[in-house]
Amino acid sequence: KEGYDEIDCYSLYSIPIHKLLDTSGIIAIWVTNKIKYIKFIKEKLFRDWNVEFVGEWFWVKIASDGELVSNLDSTHRKPFEILVLGVRTGSIVMEKIKRDTPRAVFSERCMHSCKPLIHGTFE
């Protein structure tokens, strides 16, 4: 069966974000399409980390022919994944990110669970 183990979302608290994220830093978390995880990150984890929610990006997965890998209305598997973005509360980069960054990335996936490269987008 294709898949992977999930971690307990509360284990994210073990990451010392206050030591790793400077005032111009950006935090980006890939999230499954489960509303409870997205809500946990935006409403609890970010608040406790002193991180302000900036927005969501969508990675839309397409096949080599340019079509979506699954139907948008599929109850089993969605053809997109969500990237939740945040910055340290009061950061000067927040408005720039809201204004200057794309909201969706369309690409083929190269293997199961392999995300598109986005690191150059924030430079």
Side-chain angles (χ1 to χ4, degrees):
K1 178 183 172 190
E2 191 176 315
Y4 49 89
D5 293 330
E6 291 183 9
I7 63 168
D8 174 42
C9 57
Y10 285 90
S11 68
L12 294 171
Y13 280 105
S14 67
I15 301 171
I17 287 298
H18 64 284
K19 292 180 182 178
L20 300 172
L21 186 64
D22 71 16
T23 55
S24 61
I26 302 164
I27 186 164
I29 302 175
W30 286 107
V31 186
T32 66
N33 289 311
K34 292 183 180 174
I35 298 298
K36 71 177 186 176
Y37 295 132
I38 296 167
K39 202 171 172 181
F40 169 79
I41 289 169
K42 290 166 56 174
E43 296 175 8
K44 184 161 181 48
L45 187 67
F46 276 8
R47 181 196 66 220
D48 295 345
W49 275 350
N50 198 28
V51 167
E52 191 167 343
F53 170 71
V54 175
E56 293 176 351
W57 284 14
F58 296 88
W59 168 35
V60 182
K61 303 174 199 176
I62 57 172
S64 58
D65 63 1
E67 296 294 320
L68 298 176
V69 296
S70 62
N71 291 328
L72 279 172
D73 58 356
S74 170
T75 56
H76 174 64
R77 183 168 290 173
K78 298 293 184 190
F80 60 88
E81 290 186 31
I82 298 169
L83 182 66
V84 179
L85 297 170
V87 296
R88 186 175 275 188
T89 300
S91 172
I92 58 173
V93 299
M94 186 173 79
E95 286 306 315
K96 179 172 177 24
I97 291 177
K98 281 185 173 181
R99 183 180 63 245
D100 296 341
T101 55
R103 301 284 187 233
V105 175
F106 292 78
S107 74
E108 293 180 61
R109 65 179 194 174
C110 59
M111 66 178 72
H112 177 73
S113 211
C114 184
K115 310 302 187 239
L117 297 176
I118 59 165
H119 66 279
T121 307
F122 298 109
E123 297 180 62

